[in-house]
Amino acid sequence: AHVTPPRPWRAARPRAVRACAALPAKTGVRGAGSPPAMSGTVLSGTPIAVDFWSLRKAAGARLFFLSHMHSDHTVGLSSTWSRPLYCSPLTARLLHRRLQVPMCWIRPLEVGQSHVVDEVTVTLIDSNHCPGSVMFLFEGAFGTILYTGDFRYTSAMQGEPALRGRHIDCLYLDNTHCQPQRALPSRALATRQAAHLIRAHPQHHVVIGLYTLGKETLLVDLALEFSTWVVVSPWRLEQMRLLELPDVFTAEEGAGWIRAVDVAEIRWDTLVAWNTLHPTIAIIPTGRPVKVTHPNIHLIPYSDHSSFAELREFVKWLKPCSVIPIVKGDMCQVYFQEYLSSAPQVLPDFKVSKPMQESGQRQSRRRGQKPTSLWKRALLCSVPRGVIYESPEKNTEKPETLTDVKVPQHYREPALCSKEGCTCHRGKKEELSGEQVRTAGAAPVTSEHLAAGFAEQYLLTPLNVLKQNSSQMFDQLVEDFFRKRE
């Protein structure tokens, strides 16, 4: 049981903010008053930019994604932004509220669902970092890329449907704590350490230094543990309500004896002022090295980034073909070399057999058309899985057959089984007949495109599954399809 402080606490207002205890950023050591460094990047070989908002430097990028609302991931993003921007729904609300980015340019994507954005399939996955933060799984002609953004790995992520059994060509990895000597406890253990520290100072008020977003769960846990309100500033209280957190926060001075402040306020002069009014300790929850400037400042290794051991476990489980560190200048690939997949992802050999070519030519001649290769016809009729967003490029040329195609948001394409001649959908196996192939898919197609259903069912299956099917099987299935049509 905790001991309730004997009298209400009214914290002294800090004097003009000076550089606080040195808090290293991801790209080096800086004071809290320094501008954050850009953490985003343009993904090589793709039209995708993640957390990267310099149009002048993002040559070739036309799809822009925001992983979360920390300031080092929004450098260059402001109310003047005027291109489609994709993020989670919670990040969308924070982005509009804090940076005044017009809602007409913000495209919120539901977490856990696959979406199609200009021929790129993207799946958002909770990154366990801060409210609204996500990882991005990109699939397209470039292969499969997982961009973790900032994330805290837990073994529960191995149950994520979008990642389970997935072949990853390239992993962009949050390597903030990618040093073997930097061990970090779980956040649950760090929370218990903070509670133990507070109990060791029963007559003290507690000030916790935070950034503008993140570690809200720590505050909620401590409020419930000690049955006290957490006093915050009016703007932070508004944000807590926007995040729909438990009702343990208040802006009323003296209502509680735990207070959350900006980390820049945790300095020598403010600690002296606070202790003049009442014995006070300050807690900085961080996994990074921090210079302590007062004996009543305490560090708790509470981190929203993965520890070194967690990073190794994550890469070992995922087995990507390559790892690219998100934090620039910290080449950590050597730590994961033994866990990488040695087999790069390749497309199946889509050679068309002679009987199938002849069958396709007969179909074309009956319609008075020139023979069209199966590969081209299949691509023209293929419909990506997920939610389709219009291309941000107004004049992007696309096949006419795609202009009116819409796929329901709940639609998920069934994956192919490795066993020849069957598909697996929700655990059930069915023989692939020509009629079933013709009718499969989320949208109707015209009779001119004979391979539409087959392209829907086969060509858009995840590439790691396609690898299991031989070109002979492909030829046989399409040949059966044409025979059925005749």
Side-chain angles (χ1 to χ4, degrees):
H2 72 278
V3 178
T4 304
R7 62 179 183 271
W9 171 42
R10 296 189 180 276
R13 293 293 181 187
R15 292 190 289 270
V17 176
R18 299 193 297 269
C20 75
L23 292 174
K26 296 175 187 177
T27 52
V29 177
R30 64 176 175 86
S34 304
M38 180 178 289
S39 292
T41 188
V42 177
L43 307 191
S44 178
T46 79
I48 300 166
V50 184
D51 299 339
F52 193 93
W53 312 108
S54 173
L55 295 177
R56 182 174 57 85
K57 298 180 180 179
R62 64 179 184 274
L63 303 177
F64 296 86
F65 295 83
L66 174 61
S67 65
H68 64 291
M69 272 297 293
H70 278 163
S71 59
D72 53 331
H73 294 257
T74 59
V75 176
L77 189 56
S78 69
S79 60
T80 62
W81 183 262
S82 58
R83 296 198 178 194
L85 181 161
Y86 302 91
C87 59
S88 71
L90 183 51
T91 296
R93 296 203 300 269
L94 292 171
L95 179 62
H96 179 63
R97 181 69 61 87
R98 285 172 42 182
L99 296 184
Q100 288 78 52
V101 173
M103 285 301 298
C104 64
W105 296 115
I106 301 175
R107 307 284 195 271
L109 304 178
E110 288 299 326
V111 179
Q113 296 184 7
S114 294
H115 309 265
V116 177
V117 181
D118 196 29
E119 300 178 1
V120 173
T121 299
V122 56
T123 307
L124 279 64
I125 303 167
D126 188 342
S127 70
N128 193 35
H129 176 68
C130 71
S133 64
V134 293
M135 298 185 276
F136 293 111
L137 179 68
F138 297 108
E139 300 169 88
F142 47 79
T144 304
I145 297 174
L146 177 62
Y147 190 96
T148 68
D150 291 351
F151 86 121
R152 182 79 196 253
Y153 169 77
T154 67
S155 57
M157 288 181 179
Q158 296 191 20
E160 171 59 47
L163 295 179
R164 193 167 55 239
R166 177 77 62 174
H167 176 98
I168 302 297
D169 291 301
C170 183
L171 172 64
Y172 282 80
L173 185 67
D174 172 19
N175 55 316
T176 299
H177 294 314
C178 192
Q179 291 100 27
Q181 67 276 13
R182 188 176 294 181
L184 291 170
S186 67
R187 285 184 293 196
L189 180 56
T191 300
R192 290 198 294 271
Q193 292 181 23
H196 178 75
L197 174 64
I198 292 172
R199 287 195 180 92
H201 298 79
Q203 302 301 322
H204 287 64
H205 291 141
V206 179
V207 186
I208 300 178
L210 304 175
Y211 291 108
T212 56
L213 183 67
K215 302 181 173 65
E216 290 83 5
T217 301
L218 172 63
L219 299 179
V220 172
D221 289 342
L222 293 177
L224 297 177
E225 176 76 16
F226 295 103
S227 302
T228 180
W229 290 98
V230 176
V231 181
V232 296
S233 64
W235 77 261
R236 195 183 288 270
L237 178 62
E238 179 186 3
Q239 178 168 282
M240 298 303 188
R241 290 171 177 167
L242 183 67
L243 300 177
E244 299 179 348
L245 293 170
D247 186 21
V248 298
F249 302 99
T250 180
E252 182 183 348
E253 292 283 352
W257 51 274
I258 295 180
R259 183 182 185 90
V261 302
D262 189 276
V263 69
E265 295 186 32
I266 309 298
R267 309 186 308 272
W268 172 276
D269 59 325
T270 52
L271 262 295
V272 170
W274 290 333
N275 276 277
T276 300
L277 296 177
H278 192 279
T280 302
I281 61 170
I283 294 176
I284 298 179
T286 181
R288 299 172 185 164
V290 175
K291 179 182 177 182
V292 175
T293 60
H294 191 282
N296 280 16
I297 296 177
H298 301 269
L299 306 181
I300 295 295
Y302 186 105
S303 179
D304 288 328
H305 297 269
S306 302
S307 68
F308 178 76
E310 290 165 347
L311 290 175
R312 283 173 65 94
E313 182 181 344
F314 181 66
V315 177
K316 183 178 180 179
W317 166 67
L318 206 57
K319 294 182 175 61
C321 289
S322 63
V323 173
I324 297 178
I326 291 177
V327 180
K328 310 300 190 297
D330 185 5
M331 299 297 103
C332 63
Q333 293 94 324
V334 64
Y335 299 122
F336 310 113
Q337 202 64 37
E338 60 182 301
Y339 305 131
L340 301 184
S341 172
S342 58
Q345 179 169 313
V346 295
L347 286 169
D349 183 11
F350 288 112
K351 293 181 179 179
V352 182
S353 63
K354 186 174 181 181
M356 188 172 62
Q357 289 176 337
E358 294 174 352
S359 176
Q361 291 170 357
R362 286 197 301 272
Q363 295 281 351
S364 297
R365 283 195 293 270
R366 280 204 296 269
R367 292 176 172 81
Q369 300 172 346
K370 294 182 179 180
T372 306
S373 71
L374 172 68
W375 176 251
K376 290 183 179 179
R377 280 188 285 136
L379 287 181
L380 284 173
C381 308
S382 63
V383 180
R385 56 188 173 84
V387 180
I388 295 184
Y389 281 83
E390 294 181 357
S391 168
E393 300 295 333
K394 293 183 179 180
N395 298 320
T396 300
E397 295 184 1
K398 292 187 178 180
E400 293 181 0
T401 55
L402 284 180
T403 56
D404 295 325
V405 174
K406 298 293 181 183
V407 181
Q409 183 166 337
H410 63 272
Y411 175 74
R412 291 299 191 97
E413 176 167 281
L416 287 181
C417 176
S418 60
K419 182 178 178 181
E420 293 196 353
C422 75
T423 59
C424 297
H425 187 214
R426 298 182 181 177
K428 298 181 181 179
K429 294 186 178 181
E430 302 174 356
E431 290 295 321
L432 268 180
S433 67
E435 183 67 17
Q436 287 171 329
V437 171
R438 183 177 63 82
T439 57
V445 292
T446 60
S447 59
E448 286 81 8
H449 302 302
L450 303 180
F454 191 82
E456 174 79 21
Q457 194 76 10
Y458 192 93
L459 296 178
L460 294 175
T461 300
L463 294 179
N464 63 312
V465 178
L466 282 180
K467 287 177 58 182
Q468 304 172 18
N469 297 281
S470 65
S471 59
Q472 290 78 15
M473 175 188 170
F474 176 86
D475 295 344
Q476 184 62 48
L477 290 175
V478 177
E479 191 171 352
D480 291 345
F481 168 76
F482 279 117
R483 287 200 185 106
K484 189 69 175 179
R485 288 293 299 248
E486 291 175 347

